[in-house]
Amino acid sequence: MIEIHLNTRLAPLVDGRLYPGVAPEGAAKPYLVYTVVSQPQSFTLSGPDGGGDANVQVTCWSDDHVEALQTAQALLEEATRSGAEGFGCAGAQRVPDDHDAGLYGIGWEFTLTPLE
């Protein structure tokens, strides 16, 4: 599952503070929140072939704008690192910044290809 690989590769960037969907109240910052936006399955004429990319959005949250930007840059570098285990990155785009929570949120949407 892509979530296991996300945890293995991305959680170390923020001392393990990688959360699915929403961070717990009072979580230490910076932290990452991810959402699997879609994960279509690929098919051949004989049915599902077990493949399929995952579109995943990851947002870096911090009290400090520069720290959020630095964390987002580290995230981009790790998610797109060639030769890493678990998944490859077929595309990345920055999503609009989010400041609704009173924090600085810098996000990326990645198209990830599982390597298993």
Side-chain angles (χ1 to χ4, degrees), residues 17-84:
R17 295 182 303 274
L18 172 69
Y19 305 107
V22 65
E25 191 170 328
K29 296 165 203 71
Y31 60 79
L32 302 175
V33 173
Y34 72 89
T35 301
V36 178
V37 177
S38 65
Q39 194 168 10
Q41 300 299 303
S42 61
F43 289 80
T44 64
L45 292 175
S46 61
D49 66 5
D53 291 345
N55 294 310
V56 179
Q57 184 172 328
V58 184
T59 304
C60 310
W61 293 97
S62 179
D63 290 319
D64 180 77
H65 188 246
V66 172
E67 182 177 57
L69 287 168
Q70 291 170 335
T71 305
Q73 182 62 36
L75 165 65
L76 177 64
E77 290 170 7
E78 178 56 33
T80 60
R81 184 166 52 94
S82 180

Side-chain angles (χ1 to χ4, degrees), residues 88-101:
C89 184
Q93 66 180 4
R94 187 160 164 186
V95 298
D97 295 354
D98 185 349
H99 305 298
D100 289 340

